């Protein structure tokens, strides 16, 4: 059986670089190695693991099934070691070249990334941000393993994480401006009672609006199901289809013209958007800096007390 002491850590760094770059030459360049040195190191690792690990492919190399299985564990281990080695170092955002990985949905990217990146570029121009959307049931483990650093969103099923509520939002219905449904003023309850008049477009990756439609027994009124959220405004402006979406995003679309909002009083419409992170990396200076910046940018005044209380109760 192969033991950890049998493997040079640099070989794992090389494996990770080749896996990410899908190229031995690009990996060598990223690590400051010559291509022959990288090729020799990869050969050593292949012999140790008794697997080719990478095979030739158009534009570079492709991982074998064994390499695919190994990659996640190697990346998590390297991230944990890097965090442990840097834990006591002072973090200087103005000088840092660090990369951070954040779970966000496509709608989260639209809501948070523009303001976040403007702030990061002003304070820490060398920092890189990479979004990595994950299934909700994989987020907590990914945070603990260091595969992602933070997670944004309405994630009620994500447990056992540190978290801080940033803002409260609600689901509304977005329609094209001038849609017949918008021509008469009604109470939120009356709007709810008349939703059967509408036909809907839904996004299969956003489960909460789908759940609301199911509770309202409106699944049969869904005429289009798509993969991407950001295409919805164009569809709504061009058709009589309606969409359930967060109010904060819908207001931006309505501000661009061609869209209108209605706010029926349906169940589960109110929700909180939170920032999640792992207790294992809470003391990491870089993550603490980024976490503080995000909370400063996006935490609404009414949520600050809730966020503080949630963090304290999570630590208890």
């Amino acid at each position: 059986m192969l033991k950890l002491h049998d493997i040079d850590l640099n070989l794992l760094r090389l494996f990770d670089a080749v896996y990410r770059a899908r190229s031995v030459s690009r990996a060598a360049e990223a690590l400051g190695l010559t291509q022959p040195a990288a090729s020799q190191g990869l050969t050593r690792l292949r012999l140790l693991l008794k697997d080719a690990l990478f095979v030739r492919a158009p534009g570079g190399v492709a991982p074998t099934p064994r390499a695919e299985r190994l990659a996640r564990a190697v990346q998590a281990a390297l991230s944990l070691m890097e965090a442990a080695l840097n834990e006591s170092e002072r973090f200087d955002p103005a000088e840092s070249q660090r990369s951070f990985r954040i779970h966000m949905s496509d709608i989260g990217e639209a809501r948070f990334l523009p303001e976040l990146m403007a702030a990061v570029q002003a304070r820490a121009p060398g920092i890189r941000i990479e979004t990595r959307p994950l299934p909700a049931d994989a987020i907590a483990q990914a945070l603990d393993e260091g595969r992602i650093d933070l997670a944004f969103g309405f994630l009620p099923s994500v447990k056992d994480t540190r978290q801080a509520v940033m803002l409260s939002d609600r689901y509304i219905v977005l329609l094209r401006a001038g849609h017949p449904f918008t021509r008469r003023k009604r109470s939120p309850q009356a709007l709810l009672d008349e939703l059967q008049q509408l036909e809907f477009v839904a996004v299969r990756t956003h489960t909460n609006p789908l759940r609301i439609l199911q509770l309202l027994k409106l699944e049969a009124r869904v005429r289009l199901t798509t993969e991407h959220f950001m295409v919805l405004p164009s569809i709504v402006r061009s058709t009589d289809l309606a969409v359930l979406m967060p109010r904060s995003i819908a207001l931006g679309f309505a501000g661009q013209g061609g869209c209108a909002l209605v706010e029926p009083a349906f169940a589960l419409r109110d929700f909180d958007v939170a920032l999640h992170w792992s207790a294992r990396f809470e003391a990491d200076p870089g993550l603490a800096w980024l976490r503080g910046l995000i909370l400063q940018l996006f935490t609404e005044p009414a949520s600050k007390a809730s966020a503080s209380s949630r963090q304290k109760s999570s630590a208890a």
Side-chain angles (χ1 to χ4, degrees):
M1 180 182 295
L2 189 64
K3 302 292 185 182
L4 185 59
H5 60 72
D6 295 324
I7 298 181
D8 183 343
L9 177 61
N10 288 321
L11 295 182
L12 296 182
R13 293 180 63 240
L14 174 61
F15 169 85
D16 183 53
V18 175
Y19 181 83
R20 292 177 184 274
R22 295 298 199 267
S23 164
V24 177
S25 60
R26 289 194 293 270
E29 182 178 357
L31 294 175
L33 300 173
T34 65
Q35 182 162 348
S39 296
Q40 290 171 12
L42 194 56
T43 298
R44 288 174 56 198
L45 191 59
R46 284 166 166 159
L47 292 173
L48 284 168
L49 297 178
K50 297 180 175 59
D51 189 270
L53 296 178
F54 300 97
V55 296
R56 292 186 183 277
V61 296
T64 66
R66 173 76 185 280
E68 287 284 7
R69 295 192 297 272
L70 184 62
R72 179 175 294 183
V74 168
Q75 289 170 3
L78 292 176
S79 295
L80 286 170
M81 292 181 66
E82 182 180 1
L85 291 171
N86 294 327
E87 184 174 0
S88 61
E89 292 184 0
R90 185 178 68 88
F91 178 78
D92 184 351
E95 299 295 329
S96 177
Q97 300 292 313
R98 187 166 171 181
S99 295
F100 294 98
R101 301 166 297 272
I102 303 176
H103 161 84
M104 284 186 184
S105 65
D106 54 348
I107 192 170
E109 291 180 353
R111 171 66 177 84
F112 297 110
L113 277 185
E115 188 175 352
L116 174 59
M117 290 311 301
V120 166
Q121 288 189 326
R123 296 165 174 82
I127 280 180
R128 297 178 294 277
I129 302 291
E130 177 184 351
T131 61
R132 290 190 179 181
L134 296 173
D137 59 2
I139 289 173
Q141 183 175 353
L143 287 168
D144 281 341
E145 292 178 352
R147 289 186 282 115
I148 58 173
D149 299 303
L150 299 168
F152 275 80
F154 173 46
L155 302 167
S157 63
V158 176
K159 310 295 184 184
D160 301 321
T161 62
R162 295 282 198 264
Q163 56 182 280
V165 173
M166 295 185 295
L167 56 94
S168 296
D169 206 342
R170 67 171 39 176
Y171 288 108
I172 57 83
V173 176
L174 186 73
L175 300 158
R176 68 171 176 84
H179 191 290
F181 196 80
T182 67
R183 293 174 184 167
R184 182 165 56 89
K185 288 188 176 181
R186 284 153 290 187
S187 69
Q189 183 58 48
L191 287 170
L192 178 65
D193 295 338
E194 296 177 20
L195 283 181
Q196 290 284 350
Q197 299 175 17
L198 297 176
E199 295 181 322
F200 293 87
V201 53
V203 182
R204 65 173 55 89
T205 54
H206 291 262
T207 58
N208 296 306
L210 290 172
R211 184 182 177 196
I212 292 171
L213 289 173
Q214 290 170 355
L215 289 173
L216 296 172
K217 302 187 186 309
L218 294 173
E219 308 103 300
R221 305 294 292 175
V222 175
R223 295 292 176 259
L224 170 65
T225 303
T226 183
E227 192 73 26
H228 302 292
F229 198 94
M230 298 309 295
V231 72
L232 296 182
S234 298
I235 294 171
V236 167
R237 291 186 182 106
S238 303
T239 69
D240 279 341
L241 294 175
V243 60
L244 264 68
M245 66 185 307
R247 189 175 189 275
S248 61
I249 302 295
L251 287 172
F253 293 149
Q256 297 170 11
C259 294
L261 282 66
V262 296
E263 302 193 31
F266 43 70
L268 304 181
R269 64 175 178 170
D270 295 313
F271 63 95
D272 291 330
V273 176
L275 180 67
H276 295 252
W277 64 95
S278 170
R280 296 184 66 185
F281 301 102
E282 190 159 35
D284 179 281
L287 285 177
W289 174 83
L290 181 59
R291 192 168 64 240
L293 175 63
I294 290 169
L295 295 177
Q296 176 187 347
L297 290 173
F298 301 116
T299 302
E300 294 177 340
S303 298
K304 289 186 183 293
S306 174
S308 175
S309 173
R310 184 78 60 87
Q311 292 183 67
K312 288 177 182 177
S313 64
S314 295

